[in-house]
Amino acid sequence: MILQRLVEHYDRLEASGAVKLAQPGFSQQKISFCIVLEPDGQLNSFEDMRRQEGKTLQPRTMIVPGQGKPSGSGMNPCFLWDNAEYLLGWSDDPARSERSERAFNASHAMHLAFESQIDTPAYAAVCAFLRGWSQQKAAESRERLGEIATHFGVFRIAGEQRYVHESAAAPAAAQLAEAEAATAMCLVTGKVGSSARLHEPKIKGVADAQTGGALLVSFNATAFTSYGKDQSFNAPVGTVAVFKYANALNHLLSLRDRRIGLGDATVVFWADHAQPELEDGFGMLFGSTPAETNEATGTPQEDETRVREARLLLTQLRDGTRNAQVKSDDEPTKFYILGLSPNASRLSVRLWIEAEAPELERRLGEHLRDLALKTNFDERPLSIRMLANATGRYQSSGKTKFDIKGVSPQLVGELARSVLTGVAYPQSFLATMVRRIRSDSYIGYERVSAIKACLVRNSRLRGAPQEVSVDLDDQQTDVAYRCGRLFALLEKAQLAALGKELNSTIKDRFFAAASATPALIFPRLFRVNTHHLAKLKQGSRSFYTNAFGELMGEPFAFPRQLSLEQQGRFFIGYFQERQYRPAAEAYSPEETGDIDE
Amino acid sequence: MARGVRLHCWGDWALFTRPEMKVERVSYDAMTPSAARGVLEAVYWKPEIRWVVERITVLQPIRFTSIRRNEVKDKISQASVAKAMKAGTGDLGIAASDLDTRQQRAALLLREVGYVIDAHFDILSGPENAAKHLDQFNRRARRGACFTRPYLGCREFAAHFALLEPDSVAPVPHESLRGERDLGWMLHDIDFAHDKQAHFFRAHMRDGVIAIPNLAEATA
């Protein structure tokens, strides 16, 4: 399915013409320099082909004939493009001069062999240049080459716009293509044809994989082969299909805002019709913000309009107010999400989801609703990465809010899978979050939202949906929730009474214990609370007494132990009570006993 | 049909490996005909018969999960096996703790699956006694007898099975499987007679039912 969808994506991109993709027999390579020649073959100059991107000069990506250079120590000259070693016999490492000589000779020989077939003045100029060139001449231009010959180079005749490889005839490219002998039924297209032995070009752009590129389909050890088949003949895929899927995948991985890193996996997503808002909203949900390159400075900047639209989309999805633009004659757009995880030279598929856009929107909305929690700060929509990072240790100082080292790399991927498929959140998620709160006592919006989402979704999937309100719920009778609120009130009273003299509040000392064994801790806290209340003014005192009375009005016994889910509710109650600020006209500053009194 | 059987099989995990994603395994969305044949052959098979799968009904919603396991990258060589056989003793194991040979392989597999396999058998040789074979299969399936434990794609994912009598009501597919779904090109089977070529067929799932064409049709 995956390969088939990638092949379809390639065909779609081809047909739309919006993106320039390589054709079979060609490949995309990074070109950093160009050899400009006079029409008679004399060297005109070396041209720097790199482009400014941000702070660095990046080589330009161009489509050139032939496949990429394979690894290994054999001679592999490429046709009308190559690195400086093959084209000019120059290398910045003096120890390689003998190899450079051989490489240059090989390239030289190959180009001259085609001279009789390709009868254009441009190619004749190239051949004349190669005949007259030698390593010593390359050494003369050492500084210039050292600067620009970092990647590959191409040829151009001075005065002409096009490069020589663009104007040279195609027959040469076809001759360079290897003929594969084995014929089999391709498992992507179903057609019988020649099947590829190695799946080239390699997939580049997956984080932490080999820089030279990794393979999605490879059989690089004997244990992986079966039925006596060798290498990729174990899974017959036609050469054309291989080319298409590899190029489509490389293209997707090169788009910065369609590629997201989630834990140890790199996720790409695409749709079969362009749906830019949904794709941006998607990216934002996962944790990447839509960016555009600032034309002037070359730095990627957040595209403010797109960020706003994406945020609006997420809000609409959460509230269910999104108008589905369903055209009756069109089929709904299908979304494909592929998560790839590196394993040295191979890629493993961590995530593969195919869903129609309305279904996907519904699932995203469900997730956002599960997560929704009122807060006093205008928070950005919580991305999955933020949720997963919140399981790390809280750092009050430091680059990030949470210590990422403590986060399981698989958690992010599994969270993404839960959000996109609508199944339960990972089992460890709730437990890890509760455990983390107990150990570092930081109750933040991200953590409490995550707990709320787990509770709501788990109960819904069990068949007994339980409501956890977005805002403080006065009518909630759940004991653990009320205990949490009580704790928040007790803490408020303590701060009001003793505020500035305190080194540690009851939260610092008793929070974890109170959430696990309320029956042991709360009586003690109430005993101390009487002393706190004694220090407050009459108005505040009555406020607290009323509040306690209200909370404990229903028949109430402090539970001896709270289960994991109940501890989660405790934290939610605590958080919501602390966030609660009634409307200004409902109270006077006297009553609440704020700290600044 | 006189030679038709219906077997209900289910399990906690299943991994019907796609041939192209064999190293870092990715499962097909549903059971392949070759896996169904494997389940049937584990219950009852003789060289005189050949099982032909007609239809696979998917019962549970399709759910994936991902795991990572330590495996090895070498195969035990035939020569060392022959030597051990001749000598009568020998150590043929490859330890996954051996750093040279250890490979970590991920797998994207199915969870909580259930299938109903509709199949019939062809008699290849011996007396044309379909009733005998059918009866043996039915008796074995009823009492849970099998030569080896049937498995769902990979040996470690064991399958439970139960015979569906001709007059009993078959389990109904889950409601999320309703409608038509295109599952792409799926492995039909390996043609062992002709150089172990793999044959593929275009799988369409209609309301949870996948109709399997003949092997001959699949190659076209």
Side-chain angles (χ1 to χ4, degrees):
Chain A
M1 263 333 228
I2 299 171
L3 301 189
Q4 190 178 342
R5 297 292 178 226
L6 285 170
V7 167
E8 285 169 12
H9 188 59
Y10 179 93
D11 288 333
R12 242 190 326 269
L13 288 175
E14 266 297 303
S16 73
V19 180
K20 200 126 182 10
L21 285 177
Q23 297 289 322
F26 293 77
S27 60
Q28 285 191 325
Q29 303 292 340
K30 293 185 176 163
I31 310 293
S32 67
F33 71 99
C34 176
I35 304 171
V36 186
L37 302 175
E38 299 288 340
D40 65 354
Q42 292 300 315
L43 174 67
N44 180 314
S45 61
F46 292 116
E47 193 185 331
D48 186 356
M49 296 272 287
R50 292 174 299 175
R51 275 205 276 241
Q52 186 83 22
E53 263 176 47
K55 302 193 192 92
T56 56
L57 287 166
Q58 296 292 338
R60 199 184 304 196
T61 314
M62 295 177 72
I63 297 182
V64 292
Q67 290 298 330
K69 299 191 81 64
S71 57
S73 57
M75 289 292 129
N76 299 298
C78 297
F79 186 65
L80 289 180
W81 68 276
D82 219 317
N83 56 29
E85 230 183 12
Y86 280 83
L87 287 182
L88 304 167
W90 177 85
S91 153
D92 56 355
D93 180 6
R96 287 175 70 92
S97 65
E98 195 256 307
R99 186 188 150 81
S100 312
E101 174 105 32
R102 278 190 294 134
F104 177 64
N105 290 337
S107 178
H108 186 162
M110 184 189 80
H111 284 96
L112 294 180
F114 284 122
E115 190 180 11
S116 47
Q117 291 163 9
I118 304 173
D119 197 16
T120 58
Y123 196 74
V126 169
C127 291
F129 166 77
L130 287 175
R131 267 195 213 95
W133 190 259
S134 68
Q135 260 194 320
Q136 290 74 27
K137 287 196 188 169
E140 286 163 23
S141 318
R142 191 179 305 127
E143 302 86 31
R144 180 77 175 135
L145 284 175
E147 208 180 280
I148 62 176
T150 50
H151 290 84
F152 299 112
V154 289
F155 287 101
R156 187 164 70 84
I157 305 297
E160 282 187 30
Q161 290 283 7
R162 303 174 68 191
Y163 299 94
V164 180
H165 68 263
E166 284 172 359
S167 45
Q175 273 179 314
L176 295 167
E178 272 180 71
E180 298 292 341
T183 312
M185 187 180 188
C186 168
L187 55 80
V188 174
T189 57
K191 301 196 187 78
V192 179
S194 67
S195 64
R197 189 175 63 86
L198 289 174
H199 285 220
E200 294 282 320
K202 293 196 181 175
I203 314 294
K204 295 192 183 132
V206 178
D208 289 335
Q210 270 182 351
T211 43
L215 289 168
L216 191 56
V217 181
S218 83
F219 301 88
N220 53 355
T222 47
F224 311 145
T225 59
S226 313
Y227 299 125
K229 310 274 184 201
D230 191 30
Q231 291 195 306
S232 293
F233 297 127
N234 277 287
V237 186
T239 37
V240 176
V242 169
F243 180 86
K244 285 185 178 179
Y245 94 72
N247 275 294
L249 190 52
N250 273 320
H251 171 74
L252 283 167
L253 284 165
S254 67
L255 297 172
R256 206 176 308 158
D257 53 359
R258 290 286 172 271
R259 176 196 62 179
I260 303 164
L262 282 183
D264 60 343
T266 306
V267 175
V268 288
F269 54 94
W270 69 98
D272 64 357
H273 306 311
Q275 277 231 1
E277 320 96 30
L278 188 54
E279 291 181 4
D280 282 346
F282 222 63
M284 185 175 246
L285 188 71
F286 284 121
S288 81
T289 47
E292 67 165 3
T293 313
N294 185 325
E295 294 301 326
T297 65
T299 51
Q301 251 185 5
E302 270 183 19
D303 187 343
E304 284 303 319
T305 357
R306 283 168 69 188
V307 168
R308 224 188 3 259
E309 277 176 20
R311 220 188 278 194
L312 180 64
L313 171 70
L314 290 181
T315 320
Q316 283 180 333
L317 285 178
R318 185 190 68 199
D319 300 333
T321 53
R322 174 156 166 84
N323 291 326
Q325 290 126 334
V326 177
K327 302 176 202 131
S328 52
D329 49 341
D330 286 358
E331 283 182 15
T333 313
K334 284 205 90 159
F335 247 83
Y336 307 107
I337 302 143
L338 175 64
L340 295 169
S341 185
N343 187 357
S345 69
R346 294 194 299 266
L347 294 174
S348 62
V349 177
R350 178 61 79 71
L351 193 65
W352 170 245
I353 291 168
E354 267 186 58
E356 294 180 357
E359 176 64 25
L360 208 59
E361 286 178 1
R362 190 187 65 78
R363 289 177 190 164
L364 291 186
E366 205 172 68
H367 164 72
L368 290 168
R369 269 192 299 280
D370 287 344
L371 208 57
L373 198 68
K374 181 167 170 297
T375 172
N376 289 323
F377 310 101
D378 175 35
E379 299 274 355
R380 296 190 117 186
L382 280 176
S383 72
I384 291 183
R385 192 182 288 139
M386 270 195 255
L387 287 176
N389 283 350
T391 57
R393 203 169 355 118
Y394 175 64
Q395 295 175 150
S396 44
S397 63
K399 241 166 61 169
T400 53
K401 200 167 167 191
F402 297 101
D403 183 11
I404 305 183
K405 276 202 289 289
V407 178
S408 152
Q410 281 152 332
L411 184 62
V412 186
E414 291 300 315
L415 264 180
R417 194 203 302 279
S418 310
V419 172
L420 294 169
T421 53
V423 299
Y425 293 117
Q427 277 181 334
S428 62
F429 191 43
L430 178 62
T432 316
M433 206 57 98
V434 168
R435 203 164 30 91
R436 198 46 98 177
I437 291 180
R438 292 188 52 185
S439 74
D440 67 16
S441 291
Y442 172 70
I443 304 253
Y445 171 62
E446 314 88 353
R447 288 185 172 175
V448 183
S449 292
I451 291 177
K452 181 210 173 225
C454 284
L455 290 176
V456 170
R457 192 174 274 217
N458 290 349
S459 63
R460 185 176 63 234
L461 289 173
R462 267 202 300 265
Q466 286 167 2
E467 264 299 305
V468 179
S469 69
V470 172
D471 202 350
L472 181 67
D473 188 358
D474 280 332
Q475 315 301 325
Q476 177 65 264
T477 52
D478 181 69
V479 173
Y481 185 80
R482 282 192 281 163
C483 285
R485 288 185 61 195
L486 269 177
F487 195 92
L489 284 172
L490 289 167
E491 188 196 357
K492 244 191 224 170
Q494 188 194 35
L495 284 171
L498 302 171
K500 297 177 186 59
E501 310 160 8
L502 283 175
N503 285 330
S504 59
T505 62
I506 55 170
K507 174 163 178 274
D508 298 323
R509 295 168 93 195
F510 294 110
F511 190 60
S515 65
T517 54
L520 293 176
I521 305 297
F522 273 94
R524 200 171 153 182
L525 293 177
F526 272 108
R527 253 205 310 276
V528 185
N529 178 256
T530 49
H531 301 299
H532 298 155
L533 287 183
K535 290 200 178 169
L536 293 174
K537 295 202 177 103
Q538 179 55 37
S540 313
R541 203 181 309 148
S542 55
F543 166 77
Y544 282 109
T545 327
N546 286 340
F548 291 144
E550 205 180 293
L551 267 179
M552 295 196 284
E554 311 274 319
F556 190 90
F558 287 112
R560 297 192 101 194
Q561 268 185 336
L562 291 181
S563 72
L564 193 71
E565 289 204 1
Q566 286 173 316
Q567 286 180 35
R569 287 183 187 279
F570 183 98
F571 299 140
I572 295 175
Y574 175 83
F575 177 82
Q576 287 185 331
E577 180 68 46
R578 287 202 67 178
Q579 293 281 305
Y580 176 67
R581 276 191 206 142
E585 60 273 11
Y587 75 107
S588 65
E590 263 254 324
E591 274 190 44
T592 54
D594 277 341
I595 200 169
D596 47 55
E597 218 176 19
Chain B
M1 199 188 272
R3 299 171 179 182
V5 297
R6 280 188 314 173
L7 192 71
H8 176 208
C9 58
W10 67 96
D12 290 333
W13 310 89
L15 179 46
F16 307 109
T17 324
R18 287 181 174 273
E20 69 271 20
M21 316 280 198
K22 203 153 65 122
V23 183
E24 309 284 346
R25 295 180 194 271
V26 175
S27 173
Y28 278 112
D29 290 11
M31 191 181 230
T32 54
S34 54
R37 179 176 60 80
V39 170
L40 294 167
E41 286 182 357
V43 176
Y44 173 73
W45 179 79
K46 288 214 155 81
E48 290 98 10
I49 66 168
R50 175 179 58 205
W51 284 106
V52 176
V53 179
E54 295 166 359
R55 205 163 40 240
I56 292 174
T57 310
V58 182
L59 299 174
Q60 301 285 359
I62 296 172
R63 271 182 294 242
F64 283 94
T65 188
S66 157
I67 60 173
R68 248 199 168 143
R69 297 181 283 188
N70 284 334
E71 300 183 23
V72 296
K73 79 171 200 278
D74 296 320
K75 279 205 261 226
I76 305 172
S77 74
Q78 225 174 348
S80 48
V81 175
K83 202 164 77 162
M85 282 167 71
K86 217 161 88 166
T89 59
D91 181 14
L92 294 174
I94 304 178
S97 52
D98 182 2
L99 287 171
D100 291 328
T101 187
R102 179 169 63 202
Q103 291 273 309
Q104 196 173 67
R105 288 163 74 175
L108 189 66
L109 44 85
L110 297 165
R111 299 200 54 194
E112 283 153 28
V113 296
Y115 303 103
V116 174
I117 305 168
D118 282 74
H120 70 269
F121 56 87
D122 292 334
I123 296 186
L124 299 176
S125 62
E128 284 286 326
N129 200 344
K132 170 186 96 169
H133 292 296
L134 187 62
D135 205 34
Q136 279 197 287
F137 176 85
N138 284 333
R139 271 185 278 130
R140 289 174 65 84
R142 258 181 230 123
R143 70 171 194 266
C146 51
F147 300 119
T148 61
R149 184 69 190 265
Y151 54 88
L152 297 167
C154 287
R155 261 248 160 113
E156 57 267 29
F157 305 124
H160 307 283
F161 62 94
L163 180 72
L164 286 176
E165 307 286 352
D167 48 358
S168 68
V169 177
V172 182
H174 192 263
E175 58 196 24
S176 66
L177 299 167
R178 239 175 262 150
E180 162 130 10
R181 215 194 280 202
D182 173 23
L183 298 178
W185 288 93
M186 201 185 242
L187 179 73
H188 188 292
D189 218 326
I190 308 277
D191 192 353
F192 291 101
H194 300 105
D195 190 33
K196 293 172 241 179
Q197 285 244 324
H199 292 292
F200 300 90
F201 74 103
R202 199 65 200 259
H204 294 279
M205 187 166 73
R206 292 184 184 90
D207 293 338
V209 179
I210 306 170
I212 316 284
N214 292 339
L215 194 62
E217 279 170 30
T219 59

